[in-house]
Amino acid sequence: MTLLDAPTAAPAVNAGASRRTLTIGPHTIDTPVVLAPMAGITNMAFRLLCREFGALHSQHDGGLYVSEMVTTRALVEDHRESWRLVTMGERETPRSVQLYGVDPATVRRAVEMIRERDLADHIDLNFGCPVPKVTRRGGGGVLPWKTELFTRIVEGAVEAAGPEVPVTVKTRIGIDEDHQTYRDAGLIAQEVGAAAIALHGRTVVQHYSGTARWDAIGELKELVTDIPVLGNGDIWSAEDALEMMERTGCDGVVVGRGCQGRPWLFADLAAGFAGRPDRVRPTLGEVAQILRRHAELLVEFFEDEGRALRDLRKHVAWYFKGYPVGGEMRHRLATMESLADLDAKIAELDHSSPYPGAAVEGPRGRAGTPKRAVVPEGWMSSRELSDAHATRLHEAELDTSGG
Protein backbone atom coordinates (compact mmCIF):
# COMPACT_ATOMS: atom_id res chain seq x y z
CA MET A 1 0.00 0.00 0.00
CA THR A 2 1.72 3.15 -1.15
CA LEU A 3 0.14 5.43 1.43
CA LEU A 4 1.39 3.29 4.29
CA ASP A 5 4.86 3.39 2.79
CA ALA A 6 5.09 7.11 2.13
CA PRO A 7 2.66 9.42 3.96
CA THR A 8 2.50 13.00 2.72
CA ALA A 9 3.92 15.67 5.03
CA ALA A 10 2.45 19.00 6.10
CA PRO A 11 3.63 21.53 8.72
CA ALA A 12 2.76 20.71 12.32
CA VAL A 13 2.65 22.67 15.53
CA ASN A 14 5.20 22.09 18.27
CA ALA A 15 7.47 20.23 15.86
CA GLY A 16 10.33 20.29 18.32
CA ALA A 17 8.56 18.26 20.98
CA SER A 18 10.12 15.00 22.15
CA ARG A 19 8.11 11.78 22.12
CA ARG A 20 5.87 11.23 25.11
CA THR A 21 4.86 7.80 26.35
CA LEU A 22 2.02 6.47 28.48
CA THR A 23 2.34 4.00 31.35
CA ILE A 24 -0.61 1.72 32.14
CA GLY A 25 0.39 -0.63 34.94
CA PRO A 26 3.35 -2.69 33.66
CA HIS A 27 2.84 -1.53 30.06
CA THR A 28 4.60 1.39 28.43
CA ILE A 29 2.71 2.67 25.39
CA ASP A 30 5.08 4.39 22.99
CA THR A 31 2.56 7.06 22.03
CA PRO A 32 0.05 8.41 24.61
CA VAL A 33 -2.96 7.60 22.43
CA VAL A 34 -5.83 5.17 23.01
CA LEU A 35 -8.31 4.02 20.37
CA ALA A 36 -11.72 4.32 22.02
CA PRO A 37 -13.95 1.25 21.86
CA MET A 38 -16.83 1.87 19.42
CA ALA A 39 -19.57 -0.71 18.94
CA GLY A 40 -19.52 -2.20 15.47
CA ILE A 41 -16.45 -0.17 14.51
CA THR A 42 -13.36 -1.17 16.49
CA ASN A 43 -13.29 -4.85 15.68
CA MET A 44 -9.99 -6.59 15.05
CA ALA A 45 -9.88 -5.49 11.41
CA PHE A 46 -10.17 -1.79 12.19
CA ARG A 47 -7.75 -2.06 15.12
CA LEU A 48 -5.13 -3.68 12.90
CA LEU A 49 -5.60 -1.01 10.24
CA CYS A 50 -5.10 1.74 12.82
CA ARG A 51 -2.01 -0.07 14.12
CA GLU A 52 -0.51 -0.19 10.64
CA PHE A 53 -0.70 3.57 10.44
CA GLY A 54 0.45 4.14 14.02
CA ALA A 55 3.52 2.02 13.30
CA LEU A 56 4.67 4.46 10.60
CA HIS A 57 6.11 6.83 13.19
CA SER A 58 6.66 4.57 16.19
CA GLN A 59 8.35 1.33 17.13
CA HIS A 60 5.33 -0.33 18.73
CA ASP A 61 2.22 0.62 16.74
CA GLY A 62 1.76 4.10 18.16
CA GLY A 63 -0.91 3.60 20.79
CA LEU A 64 -3.21 1.32 22.76
CA TYR A 65 -6.01 -0.21 20.71
CA VAL A 66 -9.02 -1.34 22.75
CA SER A 67 -11.56 -3.94 21.68
CA GLU A 68 -15.23 -3.35 21.13
CA MET A 69 -17.08 -3.34 24.42
CA VAL A 70 -18.44 -6.68 25.60
CA THR A 71 -20.81 -7.26 28.49
CA THR A 72 -19.57 -9.21 31.46
CA ARG A 73 -22.84 -11.10 31.71
CA ALA A 74 -22.44 -12.37 28.14
CA LEU A 75 -18.98 -13.70 28.99
CA VAL A 76 -20.12 -15.36 32.19
CA GLU A 77 -23.02 -16.93 30.29
CA ASP A 78 -20.46 -18.13 27.74
CA HIS A 79 -21.84 -16.41 24.64
CA ARG A 80 -19.66 -17.54 21.75
CA GLU A 81 -19.74 -14.23 19.83
CA SER A 82 -18.69 -12.24 22.91
CA TRP A 83 -15.70 -14.50 23.46
CA ARG A 84 -14.76 -14.07 19.82
CA LEU A 85 -14.78 -10.28 20.25
CA VAL A 86 -12.23 -10.47 23.07
CA THR A 87 -9.93 -12.81 21.13
CA MET A 88 -7.00 -10.82 19.74
CA GLY A 89 -4.75 -11.20 16.73
CA GLU A 90 -1.08 -12.13 16.98
CA ARG A 91 0.02 -8.55 16.34
CA GLU A 92 -2.19 -7.09 19.06
CA THR A 93 0.09 -6.32 21.97
CA PRO A 94 -0.87 -5.29 24.57
CA ARG A 95 -4.19 -7.09 24.22
CA SER A 96 -6.74 -4.56 25.42
CA VAL A 97 -10.36 -5.46 26.25
CA GLN A 98 -13.21 -3.21 27.32
CA LEU A 99 -15.89 -4.64 29.59
CA TYR A 100 -19.26 -3.31 30.64
CA GLY A 101 -21.06 -4.60 33.68
CA VAL A 102 -23.39 -3.50 36.47
CA ASP A 103 -23.10 -6.34 38.97
CA PRO A 104 -19.87 -6.57 41.00
CA ALA A 105 -19.95 -10.37 41.21
CA THR A 106 -20.54 -10.77 37.48
CA VAL A 107 -17.80 -8.30 36.59
CA ARG A 108 -15.38 -10.06 38.92
CA ARG A 109 -16.17 -13.47 37.44
CA ALA A 110 -15.81 -12.21 33.87
CA VAL A 111 -12.38 -10.79 34.68
CA GLU A 112 -11.39 -14.07 36.33
CA MET A 113 -12.43 -15.98 33.20
CA ILE A 114 -10.41 -13.66 30.97
CA ARG A 115 -7.39 -14.22 33.21
CA GLU A 116 -7.92 -18.00 33.24
CA ARG A 117 -8.02 -18.06 29.44
CA ASP A 118 -5.12 -15.60 29.12
CA LEU A 119 -7.00 -13.29 26.75
CA ALA A 120 -5.99 -9.80 27.88
CA ASP A 121 -3.06 -7.71 29.04
CA HIS A 122 -5.29 -4.75 29.93
CA ILE A 123 -8.95 -4.38 30.88
CA ASP A 124 -10.96 -1.16 30.61
CA LEU A 125 -14.30 -0.69 32.36
CA ASN A 126 -16.95 1.38 30.59
CA PHE A 127 -18.97 3.83 32.68
CA GLY A 128 -19.68 6.28 29.88
CA CYS A 129 -22.54 4.92 27.78
CA PRO A 130 -25.30 7.57 27.36
CA VAL A 131 -27.79 5.36 25.50
CA PRO A 132 -31.28 5.58 27.10
CA LYS A 133 -31.99 1.84 26.97
CA VAL A 134 -28.95 1.39 29.24
CA THR A 135 -29.24 4.46 31.47
CA ARG A 136 -32.98 4.04 32.13
CA ARG A 137 -32.05 0.96 34.17
CA GLY A 138 -29.12 2.58 35.95
CA GLY A 139 -26.24 1.45 33.75
CA GLY A 140 -23.61 3.21 31.67
CA GLY A 141 -22.87 6.85 32.33
CA VAL A 142 -25.36 7.16 35.19
CA LEU A 143 -23.96 4.27 37.27
CA PRO A 144 -21.12 6.25 38.94
CA TRP A 145 -23.81 8.30 40.69
CA LYS A 146 -24.15 5.28 42.99
CA THR A 147 -20.72 5.55 44.57
CA GLU A 148 -20.74 2.32 46.58
CA LEU A 149 -21.80 0.27 43.57
CA PHE A 150 -19.18 1.94 41.38
CA THR A 151 -16.53 1.27 44.04
CA ARG A 152 -17.44 -2.41 44.37
CA ILE A 153 -17.35 -2.98 40.60
CA VAL A 154 -13.95 -1.35 40.06
CA GLU A 155 -12.43 -2.85 43.19
CA GLY A 156 -13.64 -6.34 42.30
CA ALA A 157 -12.26 -6.09 38.78
CA VAL A 158 -8.88 -4.88 40.04
CA GLU A 159 -8.64 -7.72 42.55
CA ALA A 160 -9.64 -10.34 39.98
CA ALA A 161 -7.22 -9.02 37.36
CA GLY A 162 -4.19 -8.99 39.61
CA PRO A 163 -1.11 -6.80 39.15
CA GLU A 164 -0.17 -8.24 35.75
CA VAL A 165 -3.39 -7.07 34.06
CA PRO A 166 -4.06 -3.40 34.82
CA VAL A 167 -7.66 -2.23 35.01
CA THR A 168 -8.62 1.23 33.82
CA VAL A 169 -11.88 3.18 33.97
CA LYS A 170 -13.66 5.34 31.40
CA THR A 171 -16.37 7.73 32.52
CA ARG A 172 -18.12 11.04 31.77
CA ILE A 173 -18.44 14.32 33.67
CA GLY A 174 -21.70 13.08 35.14
CA ILE A 175 -25.38 12.75 34.41
CA ASP A 176 -25.83 16.49 33.94
CA GLU A 177 -24.24 19.66 35.30
CA ASP A 178 -26.11 19.30 38.59
CA HIS A 179 -25.15 15.65 39.07
CA GLN A 180 -21.44 15.45 38.33
CA THR A 181 -19.56 12.28 39.21
CA TYR A 182 -16.11 12.50 37.61
CA ARG A 183 -14.24 13.84 40.64
CA ASP A 184 -15.53 11.09 42.95
CA ALA A 185 -15.02 8.46 40.25
CA GLY A 186 -11.41 9.52 39.76
CA LEU A 187 -10.60 9.45 43.46
CA ILE A 188 -12.33 6.09 43.94
CA ALA A 189 -10.56 4.55 40.95
CA GLN A 190 -7.23 5.75 42.30
CA GLU A 191 -7.99 4.49 45.81
CA VAL A 192 -9.01 0.95 44.80
CA GLY A 193 -6.05 0.38 42.50
CA ALA A 194 -7.17 1.25 38.97
CA ALA A 195 -4.22 1.92 36.67
CA ALA A 196 -5.72 4.99 34.95
CA ILE A 197 -8.95 6.88 34.40
CA ALA A 198 -10.20 8.35 31.12
CA LEU A 199 -12.68 11.22 31.13
CA HIS A 200 -14.97 12.06 28.23
CA GLY A 201 -15.54 15.78 28.74
CA ARG A 202 -19.30 15.60 28.27
CA THR A 203 -22.27 14.68 30.45
CA VAL A 204 -24.77 11.96 29.68
CA VAL A 205 -27.27 14.68 28.77
CA GLN A 206 -24.88 16.02 26.12
CA HIS A 207 -24.38 12.62 24.47
CA TYR A 208 -21.94 13.70 21.71
CA SER A 209 -23.33 17.20 21.14
CA GLY A 210 -21.69 20.55 21.73
CA THR A 211 -18.08 20.93 22.75
CA ALA A 212 -16.19 18.66 25.11
CA ARG A 213 -15.17 20.37 28.35
CA TRP A 214 -11.43 20.04 28.40
CA ASP A 215 -11.34 22.12 31.59
CA ALA A 216 -12.95 19.20 33.45
CA ILE A 217 -10.13 16.96 32.24
CA GLY A 218 -7.63 19.47 33.61
CA GLU A 219 -9.46 19.59 36.95
CA LEU A 220 -9.42 15.81 37.21
CA LYS A 221 -5.70 15.74 36.45
CA GLU A 222 -5.06 18.18 39.31
CA LEU A 223 -7.19 16.07 41.66
CA VAL A 224 -6.00 12.58 40.71
CA THR A 225 -2.23 12.53 41.06
CA ASP A 226 -1.23 8.89 41.54
CA ILE A 227 -2.49 7.38 38.28
CA PRO A 228 -2.63 8.64 34.68
CA VAL A 229 -5.60 10.74 33.60
CA LEU A 230 -6.61 10.45 29.94
CA GLY A 231 -8.65 13.01 28.03
CA ASN A 232 -11.43 12.15 25.59
CA GLY A 233 -13.55 14.40 23.41
CA ASP A 234 -13.07 16.44 20.23
CA ILE A 235 -9.73 15.01 19.11
CA TRP A 236 -10.00 15.47 15.35
CA SER A 237 -6.29 15.92 14.54
CA ALA A 238 -2.81 15.48 15.94
CA GLU A 239 -2.81 19.18 16.72
CA ASP A 240 -5.96 18.76 18.82
CA ALA A 241 -4.29 15.97 20.80
CA LEU A 242 -1.18 18.02 21.45
CA GLU A 243 -3.29 21.00 22.46
CA MET A 244 -5.43 18.95 24.85
CA MET A 245 -2.36 17.64 26.65
CA GLU A 246 -0.84 21.11 26.77
CA ARG A 247 -3.99 22.75 28.13
CA THR A 248 -5.07 20.06 30.59
CA GLY A 249 -1.81 18.37 31.62
CA CYS A 250 -3.45 14.99 30.97
CA ASP A 251 -1.24 11.96 30.42
CA GLY A 252 -2.77 10.78 27.15
CA VAL A 253 -5.70 11.13 24.79
CA VAL A 254 -8.54 8.82 23.80
CA VAL A 255 -9.65 9.03 20.17
CA GLY A 256 -13.11 7.93 19.04
CA ARG A 257 -15.16 9.53 16.27
CA GLY A 258 -12.14 11.41 14.91
CA CYS A 259 -10.74 8.25 13.33
CA GLN A 260 -13.95 7.05 11.71
CA GLY A 261 -13.05 6.74 8.04
CA ARG A 262 -9.60 8.12 8.90
CA PRO A 263 -7.45 5.33 10.35
CA TRP A 264 -4.43 7.31 9.12
CA LEU A 265 -5.06 9.70 12.03
CA PHE A 266 -2.91 7.34 14.11
CA ALA A 267 0.05 8.04 11.82
CA ASP A 268 -0.50 11.75 12.38
CA LEU A 269 -0.76 11.26 16.14
CA ALA A 270 2.38 9.15 16.36
CA ALA A 271 4.26 11.72 14.28
CA GLY A 272 2.94 14.63 16.33
CA PHE A 273 3.97 13.08 19.62
CA ALA A 274 7.38 12.28 18.15
CA GLY A 275 7.80 15.94 17.23
CA ARG A 276 7.70 15.19 13.51
CA PRO A 277 5.87 17.28 10.88
CA ASP A 278 4.59 14.31 8.87
CA ARG A 279 0.83 14.32 8.27
CA VAL A 280 -1.17 12.02 6.01
CA ARG A 281 -3.05 13.91 3.30
CA PRO A 282 -4.39 11.12 1.05
CA THR A 283 -5.59 11.49 -2.52
CA LEU A 284 -8.88 9.88 -3.42
CA GLY A 285 -6.96 6.97 -4.90
CA GLU A 286 -5.10 6.44 -1.65
CA VAL A 287 -8.35 6.52 0.32
CA ALA A 288 -9.67 3.85 -2.04
CA GLN A 289 -6.57 1.76 -1.29
CA ILE A 290 -7.18 2.11 2.45
CA LEU A 291 -10.82 1.13 2.05
CA ARG A 292 -9.67 -1.94 0.10
CA ARG A 293 -7.20 -2.84 2.84
CA HIS A 294 -9.96 -2.47 5.43
CA ALA A 295 -12.09 -4.87 3.37
CA GLU A 296 -9.30 -7.47 3.27
CA LEU A 297 -8.87 -7.32 7.04
CA LEU A 298 -12.61 -7.66 7.58
CA VAL A 299 -12.70 -10.77 5.40
CA GLU A 300 -9.93 -12.27 7.52
CA PHE A 301 -11.75 -11.32 10.72
CA PHE A 302 -15.23 -12.57 9.79
CA GLU A 303 -14.01 -15.45 7.58
CA ASP A 304 -17.01 -14.59 5.43
CA GLU A 305 -16.59 -12.26 2.45
CA GLY A 306 -20.24 -11.30 2.23
CA ARG A 307 -20.52 -10.43 5.91
CA ALA A 308 -17.26 -8.48 5.75
CA LEU A 309 -18.40 -6.32 2.85
CA ARG A 310 -21.74 -5.68 4.48
CA ASP A 311 -19.93 -4.55 7.62
CA LEU A 312 -17.74 -2.22 5.55
CA ARG A 313 -20.75 -0.37 4.13
CA LYS A 314 -21.16 1.76 7.26
CA HIS A 315 -17.64 3.14 6.76
CA VAL A 316 -18.11 4.37 3.17
CA ALA A 317 -19.55 7.80 3.99
CA TRP A 318 -16.81 8.43 6.55
CA TYR A 319 -13.99 7.44 4.19
CA PHE A 320 -15.20 9.68 1.37
CA LYS A 321 -16.31 12.66 3.48
CA GLY A 322 -15.24 15.78 1.59
CA TYR A 323 -14.04 13.95 -1.51
CA PRO A 324 -15.71 14.36 -4.93
CA VAL A 325 -17.65 11.12 -4.80
CA GLY A 326 -21.25 11.65 -5.88
CA GLY A 327 -24.32 10.35 -4.17
CA GLU A 328 -24.98 7.69 -6.79
CA MET A 329 -21.48 6.24 -6.41
CA ARG A 330 -21.67 6.42 -2.62
CA HIS A 331 -24.90 4.45 -2.78
CA ARG A 332 -23.35 1.86 -5.07
CA LEU A 333 -20.36 1.50 -2.75
CA ALA A 334 -22.71 1.16 0.20
CA THR A 335 -24.34 -1.85 -1.47
CA MET A 336 -21.16 -3.75 -2.39
CA GLU A 337 -21.38 -7.52 -2.09
CA SER A 338 -17.84 -8.81 -2.68
CA LEU A 339 -14.21 -7.78 -3.04
CA ALA A 340 -14.55 -8.04 -6.81
CA ASP A 341 -17.58 -5.76 -6.67
CA LEU A 342 -15.65 -3.29 -4.51
CA ASP A 343 -12.68 -3.35 -6.88
CA ALA A 344 -14.88 -2.63 -9.90
CA LYS A 345 -16.53 0.32 -8.21
CA ILE A 346 -13.42 2.00 -6.80
CA ALA A 347 -11.79 1.62 -10.23
CA GLU A 348 -14.32 4.16 -11.48
CA LEU A 349 -13.16 6.83 -9.02
CA ASP A 350 -10.79 9.63 -10.03
CA HIS A 351 -7.74 8.36 -8.17
CA SER A 352 -5.80 11.54 -8.92
CA SER A 353 -8.27 13.75 -7.07
CA PRO A 354 -6.23 15.55 -4.36
CA TYR A 355 -6.77 15.82 -0.64
CA PRO A 356 -9.68 18.27 -0.18
CA GLY A 357 -8.33 20.00 2.93
CA ALA A 358 -10.83 21.48 5.36
CA ALA A 359 -13.74 19.51 3.89
CA VAL A 360 -12.20 16.32 5.27
CA GLU A 361 -11.10 17.65 8.62
CA GLY A 362 -12.91 18.56 11.82
CA PRO A 363 -15.86 16.82 13.48
CA ARG A 364 -17.31 13.65 12.02
CA GLY A 365 -19.74 11.01 13.17
CA ARG A 366 -23.10 11.68 14.76
CA ALA A 367 -23.12 14.62 17.16
CA GLY A 368 -26.85 15.05 17.68
CA THR A 369 -28.34 17.34 20.28
CA PRO A 370 -28.54 17.28 24.07
CA LYS A 371 -31.12 14.80 25.35
CA ARG A 372 -32.89 14.41 28.65
CA ALA A 373 -31.14 11.89 30.86
CA VAL A 374 -33.31 8.80 31.09
CA VAL A 375 -32.79 7.27 34.53
CA PRO A 376 -34.80 5.04 36.86
CA GLU A 377 -37.40 6.86 38.91
CA GLY A 378 -35.77 8.28 42.02
CA TRP A 379 -32.25 7.42 40.82
CA MET A 380 -30.78 10.87 41.46
CA SER A 381 -32.38 11.39 44.87
CA SER A 382 -29.59 9.47 46.61
CA ARG A 383 -26.02 8.34 45.96
CA GLU A 384 -26.90 5.00 47.57
CA LEU A 385 -28.39 2.07 45.64
CA SER A 386 -31.88 1.16 46.78
CA ASP A 387 -33.23 -2.39 46.77
CA ALA A 388 -35.71 -1.47 44.04
CA HIS A 389 -33.00 -0.09 41.79
CA ALA A 390 -30.74 -3.08 42.48
CA THR A 391 -33.39 -5.52 41.20
CA ARG A 392 -33.54 -3.74 37.82
CA LEU A 393 -29.84 -3.24 37.30
CA HIS A 394 -29.30 -6.59 35.60
CA GLU A 395 -31.55 -5.39 32.77
CA ALA A 396 -29.06 -2.60 32.02
CA GLU A 397 -26.38 -5.00 30.85
CA LEU A 398 -27.32 -4.88 27.20
CA ASP A 399 -25.10 -5.38 24.18
CA THR A 400 -24.68 -1.62 23.74
CA SER A 401 -21.58 0.53 23.88
CA GLY A 402 -20.65 4.17 23.93
CA GLY A 403 -19.04 6.81 26.05
Side-chain angles (χ1 to χ4, degrees), residues 22-335:
L22 172 65
T23 300
I24 302 291
H27 310 300
T28 298
I29 313 303
D30 66 349
T31 303
V33 172
V34 178
L35 168 63
M38 291 177 282
I41 306 296
T42 54
N43 53 34
M44 186 190 300
F46 189 72
R47 294 195 306 269
L48 288 173
L49 188 58
C50 293
R51 281 180 180 273
E52 289 179 356
F53 279 103
L56 288 175
H57 299 298
S58 64
Q59 295 182 339
H60 302 290
D61 295 349
L64 182 65
Y65 301 86
V66 190
S67 75
E68 292 181 80
M69 186 207 76
V70 294
T71 68
T72 55
R73 188 172 71 181
L75 295 179
V76 171
E77 293 178 352
D78 211 24
H79 292 190
R80 180 178 178 182
E81 179 64 15
S82 294
W83 282 111
R84 194 174 75 85
L85 288 176
V86 299
T87 301
M88 303 288 166
E90 292 183 4
R91 179 171 175 175
E92 297 195 84
T93 305
R95 299 165 299 170
S96 183
V97 171
Q98 189 184 68
L99 302 178
Y100 167 66
V102 297
D103 175 67
T106 303
V107 173
R108 178 188 285 269
R109 180 55 189 148
V111 173
E112 289 174 347
M113 293 171 75
I114 288 172
R115 283 293 313 278
E116 290 165 2
R117 302 184 189 196
D118 187 24
L119 293 176
D121 304 305
H122 161 243
I123 292 172
D124 185 53
L125 300 178
N126 185 314
F127 296 100
C129 182
V131 177
K133 65 181 179 180
V134 171
T135 63
R136 70 164 45 98
R137 296 177 176 88
V142 306
L143 189 148
W145 181 249
K146 303 301 184 182
T147 50
E148 182 183 359
L149 176 63
F150 175 81
T151 302
R152 290 171 57 206
I153 290 173
V154 179
E155 186 173 40
V158 169
E159 291 176 354
E164 297 84 9
V165 180
V167 173
T168 59
V169 170
K170 184 184 180 186
T171 190
R172 284 183 173 240
I173 288 175
I175 300 173
D176 54 33
E177 291 300 326
D178 295 325
H179 300 85
Q180 298 186 13
T181 56
Y182 70 101
R183 298 179 186 88
D184 290 337
L187 291 173
I188 291 169
Q190 177 176 255
E191 176 66 25
V192 302
I197 182 166
L199 176 62
H200 185 155
R202 288 181 170 87
T203 63
V204 170
V205 165
Q206 284 181 276
H207 278 233
Y208 300 96
S209 67
T211 302
R213 278 185 47 199
W214 289 6
D215 63 299
I217 297 167
E219 291 173 13
L220 186 63
K221 175 59 184 172
E222 291 182 358
L223 184 66
V224 175
T225 57
D226 293 343
I227 60 175
V229 172
L230 311 180
N232 180 210
D234 297 349
I235 301 296
W236 312 112
S237 68
E239 286 66 36
D240 290 336
L242 294 167
E243 183 182 355
M244 175 186 277
M245 292 187 67
E246 178 67 24
R247 282 173 48 185
T248 69
C250 68
D251 301 284
V253 300
V254 181
V255 178
R257 291 175 297 150
C259 68
Q260 291 178 345
R262 296 171 64 209
W264 58 83
L265 178 57
F266 289 92
D268 290 355
L269 290 161
F273 281 111
R276 297 182 55 170
D278 306 72
R279 297 292 183 271
V280 177
R281 300 291 184 260
T283 65
L284 180 54
E286 290 171 327
V287 173
Q289 288 181 335
I290 298 167
L291 181 69
R292 182 59 165 76
R293 174 62 176 156
H294 194 169
E296 293 171 0
L297 291 170
L298 283 170
V299 171
E300 292 177 12
F301 174 62
F302 286 116
E303 299 180 327
D304 180 329
E305 185 172 326
R307 182 179 179 185
L309 272 294
R310 290 191 295 274
D311 186 81
L312 186 64
R313 293 172 181 176
K314 70 170 77 77
H315 297 267
V316 168
W318 295 325
Y319 271 113
F320 295 119
K321 180 180 183 291
Y323 287 89
V325 179
E328 190 271 338
M329 175 56 79
R330 289 172 186 260
H331 174 73
R332 290 173 60 202
L333 283 164
T335 57

